[in-house]
Amino acid sequence: MSLWIWCPLLLLVCEVQAQMENRVIFLPGTFQNVSVSQNETVQAVVSRIPPEVAFITLQFHTQHRNATLSYTRIPGPGPSLTAVDSGLLTALLPGQASLSLFLSSPDGDTVAGTGVILPYSSSDPIPGACNTEFTLDIDPNVYIHYNLYETEIRFAPANLGNERGETPSPCDISTEATTRWRLQYDIYQYFLPENDLSERSLFTGIQAVADIQGMMENGRLVMTLLSSDMSMAVFTSIPGQGVVYSVVVRDPLLNTSASYVPSHTYACSFVSTLDGCQTLGKISTKVFFTIAGMAGLFVCFFGHRFFKCELFCMGFSFATFFFFVLVTRTTGLEYDMCLAVSVVIGVVGGVLLVMSWWRFGSVMACIVVVGLMLGFLIASTVLFTPLGDLDVFRRSDAVFWVTFCCIMLIVPLFFVRWPREGNIITCGVVGAYAVVLAVNAYIYTSLSYISLNILKRFLNNNFSAVFTDVPFQAIDYIMITVWVVLGVSGMVLQLYRERSRPFFPPSPYLMWLQERERRKTNVLDPSHHCPPLSNRLLTRVRQLTKRMESAGENTPLLL
């Protein structure tokens, strides 16, 4: 941007900034904090624009709540944009010295943010003027799409500048040096302070890099794209780390430049109940999944042999998952408290499942619960594949959950015919997956989203399909190998070791009843003649308290 434009604009800083209800006056180059209340439209006014200014960009930034920036008081689908980092570009008409734009809250909540007006001359490139992908006619915004591993930014190509009232240059008629194809795009990256998710830190960072000079001084130039390149760049995601991305378009012939609207991301969600920015790296999460991983490794290789331990682990997992969803959706407790309450209830659930088998001896009833665990994991895996990306599952929760429940309920039916084999397969598959989740607590892996996507559908009413878009990288193929090797090894070992044993261990309570009945009816059994326990205890007490007689001779000798 030409420096001579700022000379008359700096004179405006001395004026008193007037603010009225539903109306905010912006001074060019000066940030203004704005709070948009519920059902309120704030008018952003820019006045006394110098005639040298050919176009103006208004950018508005919030931390995680959407704000709508529009050309009209009532936002429409074309002349408005709703985002956390939104910006509009206005090409000025001859003689125009003022303009008005409008801010509103699309979700009915109070939105607080910071905004700034940046003016540009006719020689500066126009960001987003050759837009053919996004909704705005001239779109100066940088769009961010992130997943677990990658953060992708996209922007619309720019065009050459023009005087007020002139017809813009054609975008794609030719690729000569006199057209917009000579423009170059510098991609900048600016890191916010580590472990700082505060709104104040974000606004300070945005204000430091909003214009060209600030970004060049404080940001890091990552790459330079030519007009013949695709207008996109891909970066590594760092969950929980705030990053501001911006694009500066340069005209090497005229030595002018203009800045797109910076956008920020934390590679995590502020509104998601799970894997949100506030729960990343929680000690409670690491402890929970570390213990779960060790228990899963034991179940994988010894679950069927130690049947009571397996039942406890399965009952614990089933109850913990169910009540975590219930407690999180019905209460306002924090994440650590929800996890603690769910663990306590999970312990109760595991004990109840073990006691039901101990008391009633119904193996099939317990195997149904075990089969549901395997069915849950299989259904989650099926819908984790590209099959789950079909529009019919994304648009209709009813279709998704009906399909999920059908797959989940079919699996236990096979356990009726092959109960021991089904139980051992469940031990191998579910136990090995618990190990994968334990590794995910320290090293991110996409396999955790097999179950996490289902849990997020339970917890989030407005679940976005974007969360399911996770790529497979080297760590994921390694963890798939670990999952398969552990699962197959556990199943083969248990099937070989249990081949000559009974299908399931007998119920201890039923064995005790049979033993008691046998003692009553079998008179030849020495245990049948044993006195009752009370008599035996009383006899023992008498032996301990009775004075011992001397062993001397008391009878007279016989002659």
Side-chain angles (χ1 to χ4, degrees), residues 402-451:
V402 169
T403 305
F404 181 87
C405 292
C406 289
I407 299 175
M408 182 177 174
L409 295 176
I410 287 175
V411 175
L413 298 180
F414 294 94
F415 284 43
V416 178
R417 177 62 181 86
W418 299 284
R420 181 176 66 176
E421 290 75 8
N423 184 63
I424 291 176
I425 292 174
T426 302
C427 291
V429 175
V430 177
Y433 185 69
V435 177
V436 174
L437 292 179
V439 175
N440 179 74
Y442 302 93
I443 303 175
Y444 288 108
T445 170
S446 295
L447 296 183
S448 63
Y449 276 74
I450 292 176
S451 57

Coordinates of all heavy atoms in Angstrom, one line a residue, residues 402-451:
V402 N -30.1 -45.7 12.9 CA -30.7 -47.0 12.6 C -29.7 -47.9 12.0 O -29.6 -49.1 12.4 CB -31.9 -46.7 11.6 CG1 -32.4 -48.1 11.1 CG2 -33.0 -46.0 12.4
T403 N -28.9 -47.5 11.1 CA -27.8 -48.3 10.6 C -26.8 -48.7 11.6 O -26.4 -49.9 11.7 CB -27.1 -47.5 9.4 OG1 -28.0 -47.1 8.5 CG2 -26.0 -48.4 8.8
F404 N -26.4 -47.8 12.5 CA -25.5 -48.1 13.5 C -26.1 -49.2 14.5 O -25.4 -50.2 14.8 CB -25.1 -46.9 14.3 CG -24.2 -47.1 15.4 CD1 -22.8 -47.0 15.2 CD2 -24.6 -47.3 16.7 CE1 -21.9 -47.2 16.2 CE2 -23.7 -47.5 17.7 CZ -22.3 -47.4 17.5
C405 N -27.3 -49.0 14.9 CA -27.9 -50.0 15.8 C -28.1 -51.4 15.2 O -27.9 -52.4 15.9 CB -29.2 -49.5 16.3 SG -29.1 -48.0 17.4
C406 N -28.4 -51.4 13.9 CA -28.6 -52.7 13.2 C -27.3 -53.5 13.2 O -27.3 -54.7 13.5 CB -29.1 -52.5 11.8 SG -30.9 -51.9 11.7
I407 N -26.2 -52.8 12.9 CA -24.9 -53.5 12.9 C -24.5 -53.9 14.3 O -24.0 -55.0 14.5 CB -23.8 -52.6 12.3 CG1 -24.2 -52.2 10.8 CG2 -22.5 -53.2 12.3 CD1 -23.2 -51.2 10.2
M408 N -24.8 -53.1 15.2 CA -24.4 -53.4 16.6 C -25.2 -54.6 17.2 O -24.7 -55.4 17.9 CB -24.7 -52.1 17.5 CG -24.3 -52.3 18.9 SD -24.5 -50.7 19.8 CE -24.1 -51.2 21.5
L409 N -26.5 -54.7 16.8 CA -27.3 -55.8 17.4 C -27.2 -57.1 16.6 O -27.5 -58.2 17.2 CB -28.8 -55.4 17.3 CG -29.2 -54.2 18.2 CD1 -30.6 -53.8 18.0 CD2 -28.9 -54.5 19.7
I410 N -26.6 -57.1 15.4 CA -26.5 -58.3 14.6 C -25.3 -59.1 15.2 O -25.4 -60.4 15.3 CB -26.2 -58.0 13.1 CG1 -27.5 -57.5 12.5 CG2 -25.6 -59.2 12.4 CD1 -27.3 -57.1 11.0
V411 N -24.3 -58.5 15.7 CA -23.1 -59.2 16.2 C -23.4 -60.1 17.3 O -23.0 -61.3 17.3 CB -22.0 -58.2 16.6 CG1 -20.8 -58.9 17.2 CG2 -21.6 -57.4 15.4
P412 N -24.2 -59.8 18.4 CA -24.5 -60.7 19.5 C -25.2 -62.0 19.0 O -25.2 -63.0 19.7 CB -25.3 -59.9 20.5 CG -24.9 -58.5 20.2 CD -24.7 -58.4 18.7
L413 N -25.9 -61.9 17.9 CA -26.6 -63.1 17.4 C -25.7 -64.3 17.1 O -26.0 -65.4 17.3 CB -27.5 -62.8 16.2 CG -28.5 -61.7 16.4 CD1 -29.3 -61.4 15.1 CD2 -29.5 -62.1 17.5
F414 N -24.5 -64.0 16.6 CA -23.5 -65.0 16.4 C -23.0 -65.6 17.7 O -22.5 -66.8 17.7 CB -22.4 -64.4 15.5 CG -22.8 -64.0 14.2 CD1 -23.1 -62.7 13.9 CD2 -22.8 -65.0 13.1 CE1 -23.5 -62.3 12.6 CE2 -23.2 -64.6 11.8 CZ -23.5 -63.3 11.6
F415 N -23.1 -64.9 18.8 CA -22.6 -65.4 20.0 C -23.5 -66.5 20.6 O -23.0 -67.3 21.4 CB -22.5 -64.3 21.1 CG -21.3 -63.4 20.8 CD1 -20.9 -63.0 19.6 CD2 -20.5 -62.9 21.9 CE1 -19.8 -62.1 19.3 CE2 -19.4 -62.1 21.7 CZ -19.1 -61.7 20.4
V416 N -24.7 -66.6 20.1 CA -25.6 -67.6 20.6 C -25.1 -69.0 20.1 O -25.2 -70.0 20.7 CB -27.1 -67.3 20.1 CG1 -28.0 -68.4 20.5 CG2 -27.5 -66.0 20.7
R417 N -24.6 -69.0 18.8 CA -24.2 -70.2 18.2 C -22.7 -70.6 18.7 O -22.4 -71.7 18.9 CB -24.3 -70.1 16.7 CG -23.7 -71.3 16.0 CD -24.5 -72.6 16.3 NE -24.0 -73.8 15.6 CZ -23.0 -74.5 16.0 NH1 -22.4 -74.2 17.2 NH2 -22.6 -75.6 15.3
W418 N -21.9 -69.6 18.7 CA -20.5 -69.8 19.1 C -20.1 -68.9 20.3 O -19.4 -67.9 20.1 CB -19.6 -69.5 17.9 CG -19.8 -70.4 16.7 CD1 -19.5 -71.7 16.6 CD2 -20.5 -70.0 15.5 NE1 -19.9 -72.2 15.4 CE2 -20.5 -71.2 14.7 CE3 -21.1 -68.9 15.1 CZ2 -21.2 -71.2 13.5 CZ3 -21.7 -68.8 13.9 CH2 -21.7 -70.0 13.0
P419 N -20.6 -69.2 21.5 CA -20.3 -68.3 22.6 C -18.9 -68.2 23.0 O -18.4 -67.0 23.2 CB -21.2 -68.9 23.7 CG -21.3 -70.3 23.4 CD -21.4 -70.4 21.9
R420 N -18.1 -69.3 23.1 CA -16.8 -69.2 23.5 C -15.9 -68.5 22.5 O -15.1 -67.6 22.8 CB -16.2 -70.6 23.8 CG -14.7 -70.6 24.3 CD -14.2 -72.0 24.6 NE -14.1 -72.8 23.4 CZ -13.7 -74.1 23.5 NH1 -13.2 -74.6 24.6 NH2 -13.6 -74.8 22.4
E421 N -16.0 -68.9 21.2 CA -15.3 -68.2 20.2 C -15.6 -66.7 20.1 O -14.7 -65.9 19.9 CB -15.5 -68.9 18.8 CG -15.0 -70.3 18.7 CD -15.8 -71.4 19.5 OE1 -16.9 -71.0 20.0 OE2 -15.3 -72.5 19.6
G422 N -16.9 -66.4 20.2 CA -17.2 -65.0 20.1 C -16.6 -64.2 21.3 O -16.2 -63.1 21.1
N423 N -16.6 -64.8 22.5 CA -16.1 -64.1 23.7 C -14.6 -63.9 23.5 O -14.0 -62.8 23.8 CB -16.3 -64.9 24.9 CG -15.9 -64.2 26.2 OD1 -16.4 -63.2 26.5 ND2 -14.9 -64.9 26.9
I424 N -13.9 -64.9 23.0 CA -12.4 -64.8 22.8 C -12.1 -63.7 21.7 O -11.2 -62.9 21.8 CB -11.8 -66.1 22.4 CG1 -11.9 -67.1 23.6 CG2 -10.4 -66.0 22.0 CD1 -11.4 -68.5 23.4
I425 N -12.9 -63.7 20.6 CA -12.7 -62.7 19.6 C -12.9 -61.3 20.1 O -12.1 -60.4 19.8 CB -13.6 -63.0 18.4 CG1 -13.2 -64.2 17.7 CG2 -13.6 -61.8 17.4 CD1 -14.2 -64.7 16.6
T426 N -13.9 -61.1 21.0 CA -14.2 -59.8 21.6 C -13.0 -59.4 22.5 O -12.6 -58.2 22.5 CB -15.5 -59.9 22.4 OG1 -16.6 -60.2 21.6 CG2 -15.8 -58.5 23.0
C427 N -12.5 -60.4 23.2 CA -11.3 -60.0 24.1 C -10.1 -59.5 23.3 O -9.5 -58.6 23.6 CB -10.9 -61.3 24.9 SG -12.1 -61.8 26.2
G428 N -9.9 -60.2 22.1 CA -8.7 -59.8 21.3 C -8.9 -58.5 20.6 O -8.1 -57.6 20.7
V429 N -10.1 -58.3 20.0 CA -10.4 -57.1 19.2 C -10.5 -55.8 20.2 O -9.8 -54.8 20.0 CB -11.6 -57.2 18.4 CG1 -11.9 -55.9 17.6 CG2 -11.4 -58.3 17.4
V430 N -11.4 -55.9 21.2 CA -11.6 -54.8 22.1 C -10.4 -54.5 22.9 O -10.0 -53.4 23.2 CB -12.9 -55.1 22.9 CG1 -13.1 -53.9 23.9 CG2 -14.1 -55.3 22.0
G431 N -9.8 -55.6 23.4 CA -8.6 -55.4 24.3 C -7.5 -54.7 23.5 O -6.8 -53.8 24.0
A432 N -7.2 -55.1 22.2 CA -6.2 -54.5 21.5 C -6.5 -53.0 21.1 O -5.6 -52.2 21.1 CB -5.9 -55.3 20.2
Y433 N -7.8 -52.7 20.9 CA -8.2 -51.3 20.6 C -8.0 -50.4 21.8 O -7.7 -49.3 21.7 CB -9.6 -51.3 20.1 CG -10.1 -49.9 19.7 CD1 -9.6 -49.3 18.6 CD2 -11.0 -49.2 20.5 CE1 -10.0 -48.0 18.2 CE2 -11.4 -47.9 20.1 CZ -10.9 -47.3 18.9 OH -11.2 -46.1 18.6
A434 N -8.2 -51.0 23.0 CA -7.9 -50.2 24.2 C -6.4 -49.8 24.3 O -6.1 -48.7 24.8 CB -8.3 -51.0 25.5
V435 N -5.5 -50.7 23.8 CA -4.1 -50.3 23.8 C -3.9 -49.2 22.8 O -3.1 -48.3 23.0 CB -3.3 -51.6 23.4 CG1 -1.8 -51.2 23.2 CG2 -3.5 -52.7 24.4
V436 N -4.6 -49.2 21.7 CA -4.5 -48.1 20.7 C -5.0 -46.8 21.3 O -4.3 -45.7 21.1 CB -5.3 -48.4 19.4 CG1 -5.3 -47.2 18.5 CG2 -4.8 -49.6 18.7
L437 N -6.0 -46.8 22.1 CA -6.5 -45.6 22.7 C -5.5 -45.1 23.8 O -5.4 -43.9 24.0 CB -7.9 -45.9 23.4 CG -9.1 -46.1 22.4 CD1 -10.3 -46.4 23.2 CD2 -9.3 -45.0 21.5
A438 N -4.8 -46.0 24.4 CA -3.8 -45.6 25.4 C -2.7 -44.9 24.7 O -2.1 -43.9 25.2 CB -3.3 -46.8 26.2
V439 N -2.3 -45.4 23.6 CA -1.2 -44.7 22.8 C -1.7 -43.4 22.3 O -0.9 -42.4 22.3 CB -0.8 -45.6 21.6 CG1 0.3 -44.9 20.7 CG2 -0.2 -46.9 22.1
N440 N -2.9 -43.2 22.0 CA -3.5 -42.0 21.5 C -3.4 -40.9 22.5 O -3.4 -39.7 22.2 CB -4.9 -42.2 21.0 CG -5.5 -40.9 20.5 OD1 -5.2 -40.4 19.4 ND2 -6.4 -40.3 21.3
A441 N -3.4 -41.3 23.8 CA -3.3 -40.3 24.9 C -2.0 -39.5 24.8 O -1.9 -38.4 25.4 CB -3.5 -41.0 26.2
Y442 N -1.0 -40.1 24.2 CA 0.3 -39.5 24.1 C 0.7 -39.1 22.7 O 1.5 -38.1 22.5 CB 1.4 -40.4 24.7 CG 1.1 -40.8 26.2 CD1 0.3 -42.0 26.5 CD2 1.5 -40.0 27.2 CE1 0.1 -42.3 27.8 CE2 1.2 -40.4 28.5 CZ 0.5 -41.5 28.8 OH 0.2 -41.9 30.1
I443 N 0.3 -39.9 21.7 CA 0.6 -39.6 20.3 C -0.7 -39.7 19.5 O -1.4 -40.7 19.6 CB 1.6 -40.7 19.8 CG1 2.9 -40.7 20.6 CG2 1.9 -40.4 18.3 CD1 3.8 -41.8 20.2
Y444 N -1.0 -38.6 18.8 CA -2.3 -38.5 18.1 C -2.3 -39.6 17.0 O -1.4 -39.8 16.2 CB -2.5 -37.1 17.5 CG -2.8 -36.1 18.5 CD1 -1.8 -35.1 18.9 CD2 -4.0 -36.1 19.2 CE1 -2.1 -34.2 19.8 CE2 -4.3 -35.1 20.1 CZ -3.3 -34.2 20.4 OH -3.6 -33.2 21.4
T445 N -3.4 -40.3 16.9 CA -3.7 -41.3 15.9 C -5.1 -41.2 15.5 O -6.0 -41.0 16.3 CB -3.3 -42.7 16.3 OG1 -3.8 -43.6 15.4 CG2 -3.9 -43.0 17.7
S446 N -5.4 -41.3 14.2 CA -6.7 -41.2 13.6 C -7.6 -42.3 14.1 O -8.8 -42.2 14.0 CB -6.7 -41.1 12.1 OG -6.0 -40.0 11.7
L447 N -7.0 -43.5 14.5 CA -7.9 -44.6 14.9 C -8.7 -44.3 16.1 O -9.7 -44.9 16.3 CB -7.0 -45.8 15.2 CG -6.2 -46.4 14.0 CD1 -5.4 -47.6 14.4 CD2 -7.1 -46.7 12.8
S448 N -8.3 -43.3 16.9 CA -9.1 -43.0 18.1 C -10.5 -42.4 17.7 O -11.4 -42.5 18.4 CB -8.4 -42.0 19.0 OG -8.2 -40.7 18.2
Y449 N -10.5 -41.8 16.4 CA -11.8 -41.3 16.0 C -12.8 -42.3 15.6 O -13.9 -42.0 15.3 CB -11.5 -40.3 14.8 CG -11.1 -38.9 15.2 CD1 -9.8 -38.7 15.7 CD2 -12.0 -37.9 15.1 CE1 -9.4 -37.4 16.2 CE2 -11.6 -36.6 15.6 CZ -10.3 -36.4 16.1 OH -10.0 -35.2 16.5
I450 N -12.4 -43.6 15.6 CA -13.4 -44.6 15.3 C -14.5 -44.6 16.4 O -15.7 -44.6 16.1 CB -12.7 -46.0 15.3 CG1 -11.8 -46.1 14.1 CG2 -13.8 -47.1 15.3 CD1 -11.0 -47.4 14.1
S451 N -14.1 -44.5 17.6 CA -15.1 -44.4 18.7 C -15.4 -42.9 19.1 O -16.5 -42.6 19.5 CB -14.6 -45.1 20.0 OG -13.3 -44.6 20.3

